[in-house]
Amino acid sequence: MAASGSLPAVAAAPGARLESVRALAGLFREVQHREMAKESVFRDLLEILRGASDEIEQAYKDYCELVDLDTCLLLITECFRCLRNACVECAKNQHVMRNLGLISTSVCLIKLLHGIQIKEELLLTALRCSLQFLGNIAAGNGDSQNSIWKCAFPDLFLTCLTYSDKKIVAYCCMVLFTCLNSEKVRELLDPGNLTVALHVLKVYKEQLESEWSFLIVTDYLLKCPELVEALYAKLSNQERVTLLELMMVNVSEKNLHTSEEMNVFMRHADFLAGCFQEKYEAVLKLTSAADADDEEALVTIRLLDVLCEMTSNNGQLEYLQALPGLLETAIDTLRLTHLAGKQTVNVFTATHAMTGQEEILHPAVDFKSHLIRLIGNLCYKNKENQDKAPGAIRQADFVFSREGSQKTYRTLCCRQGICLFPALCQCC
């Protein structure tokens, strides 16, 4: 325990060192002990980490067995716990540690531990605590963030984002999120660095409970249209669906206030509209039972969902209404899916018999109703688009029995001040 208002020194004897560091880590959980910490304490911890690193490196370099690896890993873990705890809401300690070189030493040690290629719990715990330390020393400290970025990007992030341990992946995402800013995000555009962003998306897809990966995408990646386009080109169809779902969340929750935000929105709108116009016919694959879960068709459905959400924002609607060919593509897609449903019995065939709890809504029916929603939004208070839409839609003779759908169409028609869908909503 601490005596006379001071912290104990780290024991020099190897046998007592582990317990000494462990006791110090406990003391640093308290604010008063963090604030009174002297540089000499962190210098001692640095020397312990360097010594452990040299010992491990020499043992594996000489292909000899490290007799006391467990004790070495325990000591490394407690050192990182100590450093992690000492950083909490203490800028003084963060600066001292960084100036001593603890960030670069820690990054090198993490890479060394990864190279041991064993998955026992002691090693995993050491890696987890090391990443927690990096996250804490970076929290609210721009200098530490820059130092970590310089030492760890992209190699350390690539190593830890692909680790088999979920906690290590989560802590790596925490460090990455803490270090990112608008300038660093643009570094991800480099072909050699783009893999970091790709791995973040994979982490989110595979570990939906990972809050940090979600925040990296929504708070940073989606704010760089060039990066979104580069990522989209590299993603599988399943991963594109995941990205589009995240964009859907971002669009539905975002109120644009600045010219920069508006510019990002317009870039996304241009890109997604282009993707939809290029791939809209892929949805027709759903007419075949064998292709009922076609991934390219599911991408088209998600593209439409995001465009519907974008056109529901009146503040940006005028820009979307002027996008070349988007309205015509939506009308053509609606006509094609309706025709496909009449030619054979498939997911685009209208059903009438089911009512109440027996009623089943297939995603394809949602697709057609979302097309109508997109068309209605693009025609809202836009005479030029209104002149393009009614005749083309009336030729299709759509019939849907669902009361909910009829309400949706009626709302759209009333929004226009004209009836775009007389066969659907029967409001005129």
Side-chain angles (χ1 to χ4, degrees):
M1 294 292 295
S4 303
S6 62
L7 291 171
V10 177
R17 187 175 295 167
L18 178 60
E19 290 305 318
S20 175
V21 175
R22 183 173 287 154
L24 196 58
L27 290 173
F28 280 144
R29 292 183 182 276
E30 300 179 18
V31 176
Q32 62 182 28
H33 291 133
R34 294 198 292 270
E35 292 178 346
M36 72 171 61
K38 296 181 179 179
E39 180 178 322
S40 59
V41 173
F42 302 123
R43 193 180 298 277
D44 289 343
L45 293 171
L46 174 63
E47 291 306 312
I48 292 173
L49 290 176
R50 283 177 173 171
S53 179
D54 291 342
E55 188 177 355
I56 294 173
E57 190 172 19
Q58 189 63 40
Y60 278 86
K61 180 180 179 181
D62 296 339
Y63 299 100
C64 65
E65 182 179 356
L66 186 61
V67 177
D68 204 8
L69 178 60
D70 286 358
T71 299
C72 190
L73 289 173
L74 282 171
L75 186 57
I76 290 171
T77 298
E78 291 304 329
C79 283
F80 279 127
R81 281 200 178 110
C82 196
L83 296 169
R84 175 197 69 188
N85 294 350
C87 284
V88 177
E89 297 180 353
C90 190
K92 174 182 74 72
N93 290 346
Q94 289 175 325
H95 287 299
V96 169
M97 293 178 197
R98 185 185 66 255
N99 292 336
L100 285 173
L102 271 159
I103 289 177
S104 58
T105 297
S106 299
V107 170
C108 290
L109 185 50
I110 292 171
K111 293 178 180 179
L112 180 62
L113 292 176
H114 173 70
I116 292 178
Q117 297 299 321
I118 61 173
K119 302 301 179 186
E120 64 178 53
E121 192 62 26
L122 287 176
L123 175 62
L124 295 178
T125 303
L127 286 168
R128 293 166 190 163
C129 289
S130 66
L131 290 169
Q132 288 176 324
F133 160 61
L134 291 180
N136 282 6
I137 196 173
N141 194 305
D143 291 335
S144 292
Q145 292 163 14
N146 292 334
S147 181
I148 292 172
W149 193 261
K150 182 179 179 180
C151 295
F153 182 80
D155 295 343
L156 184 72
F157 295 112
L158 290 174
T159 295
C160 294
L161 284 171
T162 57
Y163 218 83
S164 58
D165 183 73
K166 289 186 177 181
K167 289 185 178 180
I168 289 176
V169 173
Y171 296 150
C172 177
C173 287
M174 172 190 67
V175 176
L176 180 59
F177 175 80
T178 304
C179 292
L180 276 173
N181 57 34
S182 58
E183 293 180 3
K184 292 186 178 78
V185 166
R186 298 198 66 83
E187 292 186 41
L188 296 173
L189 283 166
D190 185 280
N193 300 336
L194 187 62
T195 310
V196 174
L198 290 169
H199 283 316
V200 169
L201 276 170
K202 289 181 180 179
V203 169
Y204 174 77
K205 183 177 183 298
E206 296 170 2
Q207 303 178 29
L208 293 178
E209 73 280 5
S210 175
E211 179 183 3
W212 293 109
S213 61
F214 172 81
L215 291 173
I216 290 171
V217 178
T218 56
D219 288 14
Y220 289 108
L221 305 190
L222 293 185
K223 291 183 178 179
C224 182
E226 298 94 334
L227 182 58
V228 170
E229 295 176 25
L231 282 171
Y232 195 88
K234 295 287 187 180
L235 296 175
S236 67
N237 283 320
Q238 286 185 347
E239 291 163 347
R240 286 176 178 176
V241 168
T242 299
L243 177 62
L244 291 169
E245 288 172 348
L246 286 167
M247 295 185 77
M248 180 80 168
V249 172
N250 192 257
V251 170
S252 62
E253 294 180 350
K254 190 70 174 177
N255 292 319
L256 307 182
H257 300 293
T258 67
S259 59
E260 182 179 356
E261 290 174 336
M262 186 60 190
N263 181 60
V264 170
F265 177 89
M266 291 189 295
R267 288 286 302 274
H268 285 329
D270 282 333
F271 176 67
L272 297 178
C275 291
F276 181 72
Q277 290 171 256
E278 181 182 353
K279 297 292 186 180
Y280 72 96
E281 290 183 336
V283 79
L284 297 175
K285 295 179 182 179
L286 297 178
T287 58
S288 169
D291 295 325
D293 296 319
D294 183 85
E295 293 177 357
E296 191 174 17
L298 295 178
V299 171
T300 303
I301 290 173
R302 286 293 173 265
L303 282 167
L304 176 62
D305 291 342
V306 181
L307 289 171
C308 280
E309 195 64 35
M310 284 182 159
T311 54
S312 296
N313 190 322
N314 288 343
Q316 289 75 48
L317 180 57
E318 185 175 344
Y319 177 81
L320 289 151
Q321 288 174 326
L323 287 178
L326 181 57
L327 175 62
E328 291 80 359
T329 298
I331 294 172
D332 287 344
T333 308
L334 190 56
R335 184 186 297 111
L336 288 171
T337 51
H338 178 66
L339 180 61
K342 295 182 71 172
Q343 289 177 335
T344 62
V345 177
N346 55 60
V347 295
F348 294 114
T349 303
T351 58
H352 309 278
M354 294 179 291
T355 58
Q357 294 182 349
E358 296 178 354
E359 185 173 309
I360 300 174
L361 180 61
H362 192 281
V365 177
D366 266 345
F367 182 77
K368 289 198 281 189
S369 65
H370 288 180
L371 279 171
I372 294 170
R373 178 187 174 195
L374 177 61
I375 295 168
N377 288 345
L378 292 174
C379 291
Y380 179 55
K381 293 184 178 180
N382 188 299
K383 184 64 167 60
E384 182 179 353
N385 285 349
Q386 288 173 2
D387 290 341
K388 296 176 184 177
I393 292 177
R394 283 174 179 148
Q395 295 173 8
D397 186 29
F398 298 101
V399 179
F400 287 79
S401 62
R402 296 188 74 250
E403 177 64 23
S405 295
Q406 291 182 7
K407 288 180 179 178
T408 299
Y409 308 143
R410 189 176 298 115
T411 300
L412 287 171
C413 292
C414 294
R415 188 182 184 192
Q416 313 313 316
I418 60 172
C419 185
L420 293 178
F421 320 111
L424 294 174
C425 71
Q426 301 172 358
C427 66
C428 57

CSV table of all heavy atoms in Angstrom, one decimal, residues 275-312:
chain,number,residue,atom,x,y,z
A,275,CYS,N,-25.8,3.3,-59.3
A,275,CYS,CA,-25.8,1.9,-59.1
A,275,CYS,C,-27.2,1.3,-59.3
A,275,CYS,O,-27.3,0.2,-59.9
A,275,CYS,CB,-25.4,1.6,-57.6
A,275,CYS,SG,-23.7,2.0,-57.3
A,276,PHE,N,-28.2,1.9,-58.9
A,276,PHE,CA,-29.6,1.4,-59.1
A,276,PHE,C,-29.9,1.4,-60.6
A,276,PHE,O,-30.5,0.4,-61.1
A,276,PHE,CB,-30.6,2.3,-58.3
A,276,PHE,CG,-32.0,1.8,-58.5
A,276,PHE,CD1,-32.4,0.6,-57.8
A,276,PHE,CD2,-32.9,2.5,-59.2
A,276,PHE,CE1,-33.7,0.2,-58.0
A,276,PHE,CE2,-34.2,2.0,-59.4
A,276,PHE,CZ,-34.6,0.9,-58.7
A,277,GLN,N,-29.6,2.4,-61.3
A,277,GLN,CA,-29.9,2.4,-62.7
A,277,GLN,C,-29.1,1.4,-63.5
A,277,GLN,O,-29.6,0.9,-64.5
A,277,GLN,CB,-29.6,3.8,-63.3
A,277,GLN,CG,-30.6,4.9,-62.8
A,277,GLN,CD,-30.2,6.3,-63.1
A,277,GLN,OE1,-29.7,7.1,-62.3
A,277,GLN,NE2,-30.4,6.7,-64.4
A,278,GLU,N,-27.9,1.1,-63.0
A,278,GLU,CA,-27.1,0.1,-63.7
A,278,GLU,C,-27.5,-1.3,-63.4
A,278,GLU,O,-27.5,-2.2,-64.3
A,278,GLU,CB,-25.6,0.3,-63.2
A,278,GLU,CG,-24.7,-0.7,-63.9
A,278,GLU,CD,-23.2,-0.5,-63.4
A,278,GLU,OE1,-23.0,0.4,-62.6
A,278,GLU,OE2,-22.4,-1.4,-63.8
A,279,LYS,N,-28.1,-1.6,-62.2
A,279,LYS,CA,-28.3,-3.0,-61.8
A,279,LYS,C,-29.8,-3.3,-61.5
A,279,LYS,O,-30.1,-4.3,-61.0
A,279,LYS,CB,-27.5,-3.3,-60.5
A,279,LYS,CG,-26.0,-3.2,-60.7
A,279,LYS,CD,-25.5,-4.3,-61.6
A,279,LYS,CE,-24.0,-4.3,-61.6
A,279,LYS,NZ,-23.5,-5.4,-62.5
A,280,TYR,N,-30.7,-2.4,-61.9
A,280,TYR,CA,-32.1,-2.6,-61.5
A,280,TYR,C,-32.7,-3.9,-62.0
A,280,TYR,O,-33.6,-4.5,-61.4
A,280,TYR,CB,-33.0,-1.4,-61.9
A,280,TYR,CG,-33.2,-1.3,-63.4
A,280,TYR,CD1,-34.4,-1.8,-63.9
A,280,TYR,CD2,-32.3,-0.6,-64.2
A,280,TYR,CE1,-34.6,-1.6,-65.3
A,280,TYR,CE2,-32.5,-0.5,-65.6
A,280,TYR,CZ,-33.7,-1.0,-66.1
A,280,TYR,OH,-34.0,-0.9,-67.5
A,281,GLU,N,-32.3,-4.3,-63.2
A,281,GLU,CA,-32.9,-5.5,-63.8
A,281,GLU,C,-32.5,-6.8,-63.0
A,281,GLU,O,-33.1,-7.8,-63.2
A,281,GLU,CB,-32.4,-5.6,-65.2
A,281,GLU,CG,-33.1,-4.6,-66.1
A,281,GLU,CD,-32.7,-4.8,-67.6
A,281,GLU,OE1,-31.6,-5.4,-67.8
A,281,GLU,OE2,-33.4,-4.4,-68.5
A,282,ALA,N,-31.5,-6.7,-62.1
A,282,ALA,CA,-31.1,-7.9,-61.3
A,282,ALA,C,-32.3,-8.4,-60.4
A,282,ALA,O,-32.3,-9.6,-60.1
A,282,ALA,CB,-29.9,-7.5,-60.4
A,283,VAL,N,-33.2,-7.5,-60.1
A,283,VAL,CA,-34.3,-7.9,-59.2
A,283,VAL,C,-35.2,-8.9,-59.9
A,283,VAL,O,-35.9,-9.7,-59.2
A,283,VAL,CB,-35.1,-6.6,-58.7
A,283,VAL,CG1,-36.0,-6.1,-59.8
A,283,VAL,CG2,-35.8,-7.0,-57.5
A,284,LEU,N,-35.2,-8.9,-61.2
A,284,LEU,CA,-36.0,-9.8,-62.0
A,284,LEU,C,-35.6,-11.3,-61.8
A,284,LEU,O,-36.4,-12.2,-62.1
A,284,LEU,CB,-36.0,-9.5,-63.5
A,284,LEU,CG,-36.6,-8.1,-63.8
A,284,LEU,CD1,-36.5,-7.8,-65.3
A,284,LEU,CD2,-38.1,-8.0,-63.4
A,285,LYS,N,-34.4,-11.5,-61.3
A,285,LYS,CA,-34.0,-12.9,-61.0
A,285,LYS,C,-34.8,-13.5,-59.9
A,285,LYS,O,-34.9,-14.7,-59.8
A,285,LYS,CB,-32.5,-12.9,-60.5
A,285,LYS,CG,-31.5,-12.4,-61.5
A,285,LYS,CD,-30.1,-12.4,-60.9
A,285,LYS,CE,-29.1,-11.9,-62.0
A,285,LYS,NZ,-27.7,-11.9,-61.4
A,286,LEU,N,-35.5,-12.7,-59.1
A,286,LEU,CA,-36.4,-13.2,-58.1
A,286,LEU,C,-37.6,-14.0,-58.6
A,286,LEU,O,-38.3,-14.6,-57.9
A,286,LEU,CB,-36.8,-12.1,-57.1
A,286,LEU,CG,-35.7,-11.4,-56.3
A,286,LEU,CD1,-36.3,-10.3,-55.5
A,286,LEU,CD2,-35.0,-12.4,-55.5
A,287,THR,N,-37.9,-13.8,-59.9
A,287,THR,CA,-39.0,-14.6,-60.5
A,287,THR,C,-38.7,-16.0,-60.6
A,287,THR,O,-39.7,-16.8,-60.7
A,287,THR,CB,-39.3,-14.1,-61.9
A,287,THR,OG1,-38.1,-14.2,-62.7
A,287,THR,CG2,-39.7,-12.6,-61.9
A,288,SER,N,-37.5,-16.5,-60.5
A,288,SER,CA,-37.1,-17.9,-60.5
A,288,SER,C,-37.0,-18.4,-59.0
A,288,SER,O,-36.3,-17.8,-58.2
A,288,SER,CB,-35.8,-18.1,-61.2
A,288,SER,OG,-35.3,-19.4,-61.1
A,289,ALA,N,-37.6,-19.5,-58.8
A,289,ALA,CA,-37.5,-20.1,-57.4
A,289,ALA,C,-36.1,-20.4,-57.1
A,289,ALA,O,-35.6,-20.3,-55.9
A,289,ALA,CB,-38.4,-21.3,-57.3
A,290,ALA,N,-35.3,-20.8,-58.1
A,290,ALA,CA,-33.9,-21.1,-57.8
A,290,ALA,C,-33.1,-19.9,-57.4
A,290,ALA,O,-32.0,-20.0,-56.8
A,290,ALA,CB,-33.3,-21.8,-59.1
A,291,ASP,N,-33.5,-18.7,-57.8
A,291,ASP,CA,-32.8,-17.5,-57.5
A,291,ASP,C,-33.5,-16.6,-56.5
A,291,ASP,O,-33.3,-15.4,-56.4
A,291,ASP,CB,-32.6,-16.6,-58.8
A,291,ASP,CG,-31.7,-17.3,-59.8
A,291,ASP,OD1,-30.8,-18.0,-59.3
A,291,ASP,OD2,-32.0,-17.2,-61.0
A,292,ALA,N,-34.3,-17.3,-55.6
A,292,ALA,CA,-35.2,-16.5,-54.6
A,292,ALA,C,-34.3,-15.7,-53.7
A,292,ALA,O,-34.8,-14.7,-53.1
A,292,ALA,CB,-36.1,-17.5,-53.9
A,293,ASP,N,-33.1,-16.1,-53.4
A,293,ASP,CA,-32.2,-15.4,-52.5
A,293,ASP,C,-31.0,-14.8,-53.2
A,293,ASP,O,-29.9,-14.7,-52.6
A,293,ASP,CB,-31.8,-16.3,-51.4
A,293,ASP,CG,-32.9,-16.8,-50.5
A,293,ASP,OD1,-33.8,-16.0,-50.2
A,293,ASP,OD2,-32.9,-18.0,-50.1
A,294,ASP,N,-31.2,-14.5,-54.5
A,294,ASP,CA,-30.1,-14.0,-55.3
A,294,ASP,C,-29.5,-12.7,-54.6
A,294,ASP,O,-30.2,-11.8,-54.3
A,294,ASP,CB,-30.5,-13.6,-56.7
A,294,ASP,CG,-29.4,-13.2,-57.6
A,294,ASP,OD1,-28.7,-14.0,-58.1
A,294,ASP,OD2,-29.2,-12.0,-57.6
A,295,GLU,N,-28.2,-12.7,-54.4
A,295,GLU,CA,-27.6,-11.7,-53.6
A,295,GLU,C,-27.5,-10.4,-54.4
A,295,GLU,O,-27.7,-9.3,-53.8
A,295,GLU,CB,-26.1,-12.1,-53.2
A,295,GLU,CG,-26.1,-13.2,-52.2
A,295,GLU,CD,-24.7,-13.7,-51.9
A,295,GLU,OE1,-23.7,-13.1,-52.5
A,295,GLU,OE2,-24.6,-14.5,-51.0
A,296,GLU,N,-27.4,-10.4,-55.7
A,296,GLU,CA,-27.3,-9.2,-56.5
A,296,GLU,C,-28.7,-8.5,-56.5
A,296,GLU,O,-28.8,-7.3,-56.4
A,296,GLU,CB,-26.9,-9.5,-57.9
A,296,GLU,CG,-26.6,-8.3,-58.8
A,296,GLU,CD,-26.1,-8.6,-60.1
A,296,GLU,OE1,-26.2,-9.8,-60.6
A,296,GLU,OE2,-25.5,-7.7,-60.8
A,297,ALA,N,-29.8,-9.4,-56.5
A,297,ALA,CA,-31.1,-8.8,-56.4
A,297,ALA,C,-31.4,-8.2,-55.1
A,297,ALA,O,-32.0,-7.1,-55.0
A,297,ALA,CB,-32.2,-10.0,-56.6
A,298,LEU,N,-30.8,-8.8,-54.0
A,298,LEU,CA,-31.0,-8.2,-52.7
A,298,LEU,C,-30.3,-6.8,-52.6
A,298,LEU,O,-30.7,-5.9,-51.9
A,298,LEU,CB,-30.4,-9.1,-51.6
A,298,LEU,CG,-31.2,-10.5,-51.5
A,298,LEU,CD1,-30.5,-11.3,-50.4
A,298,LEU,CD2,-32.7,-10.2,-51.1
A,299,VAL,N,-29.2,-6.7,-53.3
A,299,VAL,CA,-28.5,-5.4,-53.3
A,299,VAL,C,-29.4,-4.3,-54.0
A,299,VAL,O,-29.5,-3.2,-53.5
A,299,VAL,CB,-27.1,-5.5,-54.1
A,299,VAL,CG1,-26.5,-4.1,-54.3
A,299,VAL,CG2,-26.1,-6.4,-53.3
A,300,THR,N,-30.0,-4.7,-55.1
A,300,THR,CA,-30.9,-3.8,-55.8
A,300,THR,C,-32.0,-3.4,-54.9
A,300,THR,O,-32.4,-2.2,-54.8
A,300,THR,CB,-31.5,-4.5,-57.0
A,300,THR,OG1,-30.4,-4.9,-57.9
A,300,THR,CG2,-32.4,-3.5,-57.8
A,301,ILE,N,-32.6,-4.3,-54.1
A,301,ILE,CA,-33.7,-4.0,-53.1
A,301,ILE,C,-33.2,-2.9,-52.1
A,301,ILE,O,-33.9,-2.0,-51.8
A,301,ILE,CB,-34.2,-5.2,-52.4
A,301,ILE,CG1,-34.9,-6.1,-53.5
A,301,ILE,CG2,-35.1,-4.9,-51.3
A,301,ILE,CD1,-35.4,-7.5,-52.9
A,302,ARG,N,-32.0,-3.2,-51.6
A,302,ARG,CA,-31.4,-2.2,-50.6
A,302,ARG,C,-31.1,-0.9,-51.2
A,302,ARG,O,-31.3,0.2,-50.5
A,302,ARG,CB,-30.2,-2.8,-49.9
A,302,ARG,CG,-30.5,-3.9,-48.9
A,302,ARG,CD,-31.2,-3.4,-47.7
A,302,ARG,NE,-31.7,-4.5,-46.9
A,302,ARG,CZ,-32.9,-5.0,-46.9
A,302,ARG,NH1,-33.8,-4.6,-47.8
A,302,ARG,NH2,-33.2,-6.0,-46.1
A,303,LEU,N,-30.6,-0.8,-52.4
A,303,LEU,CA,-30.4,0.4,-53.1
A,303,LEU,C,-31.7,1.2,-53.2
A,303,LEU,O,-31.7,2.4,-52.9
A,303,LEU,CB,-29.9,0.2,-54.5
A,303,LEU,CG,-28.4,-0.2,-54.6
A,303,LEU,CD1,-28.1,-0.7,-56.0
A,303,LEU,CD2,-27.5,1.0,-54.3
A,304,LEU,N,-32.8,0.5,-53.5
A,304,LEU,CA,-34.1,1.2,-53.6
A,304,LEU,C,-34.5,1.7,-52.2
A,304,LEU,O,-35.0,2.9,-52.1
A,304,LEU,CB,-35.1,0.3,-54.2
A,304,LEU,CG,-36.6,0.8,-54.2
A,304,LEU,CD1,-36.6,2.0,-55.1
A,304,LEU,CD2,-37.5,-0.3,-54.7
A,305,ASP,N,-34.3,0.9,-51.2
A,305,ASP,CA,-34.7,1.4,-49.8
A,305,ASP,C,-34.0,2.7,-49.5
A,305,ASP,O,-34.6,3.6,-48.9
A,305,ASP,CB,-34.3,0.3,-48.8
A,305,ASP,CG,-35.1,-1.0,-48.9
A,305,ASP,OD1,-36.2,-0.9,-49.6
A,305,ASP,OD2,-34.7,-2.0,-48.4
A,306,VAL,N,-32.7,2.8,-49.7
A,306,VAL,CA,-31.9,4.0,-49.4
A,306,VAL,C,-32.4,5.2,-50.2
A,306,VAL,O,-32.6,6.3,-49.7
A,306,VAL,CB,-30.4,3.8,-49.6
A,306,VAL,CG1,-29.6,5.0,-49.2
A,306,VAL,CG2,-29.9,2.6,-48.8
A,307,LEU,N,-32.7,5.0,-51.5
A,307,LEU,CA,-33.2,6.1,-52.3
A,307,LEU,C,-34.5,6.5,-51.9
A,307,LEU,O,-34.8,7.7,-51.9
A,307,LEU,CB,-33.2,5.6,-53.8
A,307,LEU,CG,-31.9,5.4,-54.5
A,307,LEU,CD1,-32.0,4.7,-55.9
A,307,LEU,CD2,-31.1,6.8,-54.7
A,308,CYS,N,-35.4,5.6,-51.4
A,308,CYS,CA,-36.7,6.0,-50.9
A,308,CYS,C,-36.5,6.9,-49.7
A,308,CYS,O,-37.2,7.9,-49.5
A,308,CYS,CB,-37.5,4.8,-50.5
A,308,CYS,SG,-38.3,4.0,-51.9
A,309,GLU,N,-35.6,6.5,-48.8
A,309,GLU,CA,-35.3,7.3,-47.6
A,309,GLU,C,-34.8,8.7,-47.9
A,309,GLU,O,-35.1,9.7,-47.3
A,309,GLU,CB,-34.4,6.5,-46.7
A,309,GLU,CG,-34.4,7.1,-45.2
A,309,GLU,CD,-35.7,6.9,-44.5
A,309,GLU,OE1,-36.4,5.9,-44.8
A,309,GLU,OE2,-36.0,7.8,-43.7
A,310,MET,N,-33.9,8.7,-48.9
A,310,MET,CA,-33.3,10.0,-49.3
A,310,MET,C,-34.3,10.9,-49.9
A,310,MET,O,-34.3,12.1,-49.6
A,310,MET,CB,-32.2,9.7,-50.4
A,310,MET,CG,-30.9,9.2,-49.8
A,310,MET,SD,-29.6,9.0,-51.1
A,310,MET,CE,-28.1,9.0,-50.1
A,311,THR,N,-35.2,10.4,-50.7
A,311,THR,CA,-36.3,11.2,-51.3
A,311,THR,C,-37.4,11.6,-50.4
A,311,THR,O,-38.3,12.4,-50.7
A,311,THR,CB,-36.9,10.5,-52.6
A,311,THR,OG1,-37.4,9.3,-52.2
A,311,THR,CG2,-35.8,10.4,-53.7
A,312,SER,N,-37.4,11.1,-49.2
A,312,SER,CA,-38.4,11.4,-48.2
A,312,SER,C,-37.9,12.7,-47.4
A,312,SER,O,-38.7,13.2,-46.5
A,312,SER,CB,-38.6,10.3,-47.2
A,312,SER,OG,-39.1,9.2,-47.9
